Amino acid sequence: MKNMPWHTKLVLALTAFLPLYFIIAALGAKIGLWGWQFGLGAMTFTGGPYVVGIAGILALISLIIGLVNWSGRKAEKADGVKRPRSKMVVGSAILGLVVVAGFVLFAQSASSTAGANPIYDIATDTGTPPTFSAHVMKQRKAEEANPVNDYQVPFGELDKFAGSAPEFAIQNHAQFITENYSDLRPLPLGGASRADAVAAVAAAMGSMSFDDIRQDAEGGRVEGVAVTFWYGFKDDVVARIGDNEIDFRSVSRVGTSDLGANAARIAELREKVAAQIGQR
C-alpha cells in the first residue's frame, strides 16, 4: 500500500466509500438523522451522481496512467526502490470502474422500475377499494402524506400527477391497476370464518414486521404500517374482510412511484394469509 501511487489509493478509497455513502444516506433518513427529502433527494438523487461521476473519472485516469506505465515497463525507480506493479494499478482502476458501472446500472434499473410503476396506491378491488380508519387518516394528515385518491378520477386531474404524459393522464387508478397489476386479486375466504380471517391477516402482518397493527373484528378490517429497510419509508396497508373474500390495499405516505413495492407487498401478504386459511 505504501508504494501505491496517490491516484490508486484514492481510487480504492472512493471504491470503498461509494456504497458507504448511499448506505449512510438511506439509514440516516431511517433513524431520523435527517428527513427523507435530504437523504433521498439531496444525498442520493442530487449528490449521488456527482460522487459516482468523480469516482468514475478518477478510476479512468488511473487506468490510463497504469496502462502507460505498464507498457513502458518501468519496474524500478532510480534509487533502486521497487515501484508498485502496474498490474495492481490497472486492476484497482478496473475495480473502481466496475463498481461505478454497477451503480449506474442500478440507477437505470430503478428509473425503469419507477416508469413502470408510476403510482403509490394499489388495491385488489378497484371499484370499491378498502378504506382506512380515522386513526390512519389522522396519522397521514399529521405527516402531510400523499392523498388517498378516488380511483375513478383521471390522473391528470390529481395534483400529485400534474404534468403527466397525456396517455397516462387520461387513465385513472382503476384502469391502470387493472391493466398493469392483473395478477393481484382478492383472496376467497372459502371455509374460513371472518374472525379467523382477521386473525390470519394480523398474524401475516406481524410476520412481515408491520408496525401499529390494528384489528377491527366487528368491522372486518385489519391495518398495519410497513416500514422499508432503506430510508424508512412508511406505507399504510389495510385488509377488508368481507363475507366471501379479503381485499387488500397498500398506499405509500411519500413519493410518487412506489417502485412496485405496494403490489409486491400485497402479493406477499395475500400469500401468507392464504396459507393460514387454506386458500389460494
Side-chain angles (χ1 to χ4, degrees):
M1 286 290 291
K2 290 182 179 180
N3 292 329
M4 284 185 180
W6 66 269
H7 55 85
T8 298
K9 292 179 181 178
L10 192 53
V11 167
L12 291 175
L14 282 175
T15 300
F17 174 71
L18 269 180
L20 183 62
Y21 173 82
F22 289 105
I23 289 173
I24 290 174
L27 296 186
K30 181 171 184 175
I31 65 177
L33 293 180
W34 43 72
W36 71 269
Q37 296 92 336
F38 181 78
L40 182 64
M43 293 188 70
T44 302
F45 287 159
T46 302
Y50 287 102
V51 176
V52 173
I54 290 171
I57 291 172
L58 183 60
L60 183 59
I61 293 173
S62 183
L63 176 61
I64 294 171
I65 294 173
L67 290 174
V68 170
N69 288 343
W70 195 351
S71 65
R73 302 293 183 181
K74 296 178 180 179
E76 293 183 352
K77 291 183 178 179
D79 57 7
V81 178
K82 287 186 177 180
R83 294 186 52 153
R85 292 183 179 275
S86 295
K87 288 183 179 180
M88 182 178 294
V89 175
V90 171
S92 299
I94 291 175
L95 174 63
L97 289 173
V98 169
V99 171
V100 167
F103 278 100
V104 171
L105 290 174
F106 177 80
Q108 291 177 339
S109 175
S111 178
S112 177
T113 301
N117 301 273
I119 63 177
Y120 60 83
D121 182 350
I122 305 293
T124 57
D125 181 351
T126 58
T128 310
T131 58
F132 292 101
S133 66
H135 170 80
V136 171
M137 296 305 291
K138 183 178 180 180
Q139 286 185 326
R140 293 182 67 89
K141 183 178 180 180
E143 295 185 16
E144 298 182 347
N146 289 330
V148 178
N149 296 308
D150 185 332
Y151 270 27
Q152 307 307 316
V153 177
F155 290 114
E157 297 180 16
L158 301 173
D159 292 340
K160 191 72 175 180
F161 300 97
S164 299
E167 61 272 17
F168 176 73
I170 62 174
Q171 290 185 299
N172 57 36
H173 280 79
Q175 293 168 326
F176 188 86
I177 292 171
T178 300
E179 293 177 8
N180 294 275
Y181 303 98
S182 57
D183 55 331
L184 293 181
R185 61 191 188 281
L187 175 63
L189 279 179
S193 68
R194 204 179 197 192
D196 289 341
V198 168
V201 172
M205 287 184 174
S207 71
M208 294 172 66
S209 301
F210 283 21
D211 292 339
D212 195 21
I213 300 172
R214 304 170 65 85
Q215 303 180 47
D216 179 4
E218 184 176 345
R221 178 165 54 196
V222 184
E223 296 171 312
V225 180
V227 182
T228 63
F229 181 80
W230 298 112
Y231 298 98
F233 293 131
K234 294 180 180 180
D235 299 338
D236 292 303
V237 184
V238 58
R240 181 182 63 204
I241 297 88
D243 295 331
N244 301 307
E245 60 186 18
I246 306 173
D247 276 294
F248 304 90
R249 185 177 189 177
S250 185
V251 186
S252 303
R253 292 192 183 181
V254 299
T256 302
S257 167
D258 65 4
L259 298 178
N262 286 306
R265 182 180 299 112
I266 288 176
E268 182 181 357
L269 179 59
R270 184 189 186 282
E271 183 178 353
K272 287 181 178 295
V273 176
Q276 292 194 51
I277 65 174
Q279 290 294 312
R280 295 305 299 171

